Amino acid sequence: MIKINLITVGDIKEKYLKDAIDEYKKRLVRFCSLKIVEIKENISTSQNENDIINALKKDAVLIKKYIKGYCICLCVEGKQLSSTEFANLISNTALSNSEITFVIGASNGIADEIKNMANYKLSFGKMTYPHQLMRVIALEQIYRAFTILNNIAYHK
């Protein structure tokens, strides 16, 4: 069984998001071993670009500790895939890797250092999503990928 790691920066405060995450965790149990790691966000108190970069670098130190196996960074400059293409990415990656780690950055993104060490950069579109909501979206798409790969009537 493939192991899926989801490294996220920041915690979830809203109950409705926690409930959605818990639902997808339950659904994914039959397809993979799932581990979610929450990293405390280093928040920049200003919008100064150097302060933001320094905060992201501090996040990167912690993120690197948890990256295992094949690393996929979720970032706007990544490649956009259909759900079927994403399912194929997971399937093909699982042929030679026992673990896939997804990284969701902070509200200001992910440090270039992490993006550069990733095996794959993935984008869920050009729109901006709250990083807390992105966790739910990523889990839903991972679940959808497994239903596609297992011919389960969920994907439309």
Side-chain angles (χ1 to χ4, degrees), residues 12-124:
I12 302 290
K13 293 177 181 69
E14 296 83 1
K15 183 181 179 331
Y16 70 96
L17 291 174
K18 287 180 182 180
D19 290 345
I21 289 164
D22 288 343
E23 178 62 29
Y24 286 109
K25 283 166 58 175
K26 281 193 295 191
R27 291 181 185 198
L28 282 165
V29 165
R30 65 194 269 206
F31 303 114
C32 65
S33 166
L34 176 67
K35 180 178 181 182
I36 298 176
V37 176
E38 287 185 354
I39 304 293
K40 183 174 175 21
E41 183 175 6
N42 287 283
I43 299 171
S44 172
T45 55
S46 75
Q47 288 303 311
N48 176 294
E49 189 173 342
N50 286 334
D51 292 342
I52 292 170
I53 290 169
N54 287 331
L56 293 178
K57 285 180 181 179
K58 289 177 185 175
D59 291 340
V61 170
L62 297 172
I63 290 169
K64 283 194 307 190
K65 292 180 182 179
Y66 296 101
I67 293 176
K68 293 185 172 107
Y70 191 89
C71 179
I72 299 175
C73 271
L74 277 61
C75 50
V76 71
E77 65 270 26
K79 184 171 181 176
Q80 294 181 37
L81 301 175
S82 70
S83 294
T84 303
E85 290 169 331
F86 181 57
N88 290 332
L89 173 64
I90 289 176
S91 178
N92 293 335
T93 301
L95 294 174
S96 58
N97 296 273
S98 60
E99 284 188 68
I100 302 173
T101 299
F102 293 88
V103 179
I104 299 174
S107 54
N108 286 313
I110 300 173
D112 287 341
E113 176 183 7
I114 300 297
K115 292 178 193 177
N116 292 336
M117 68 185 286
N119 299 97
Y120 197 91
K121 293 179 194 88
L122 177 66
S123 172
F124 284 159

Side-chain angles (χ1 to χ4, degrees), residues 16-17 104-107 128-137:
Y16 70 96
L17 291 174
I104 299 174
S107 54
T128 301
Y129 301 100
H131 66 286
Q132 296 94 341
L133 181 59
M134 198 64 231
R135 190 178 315 185
V136 176
I137 294 169

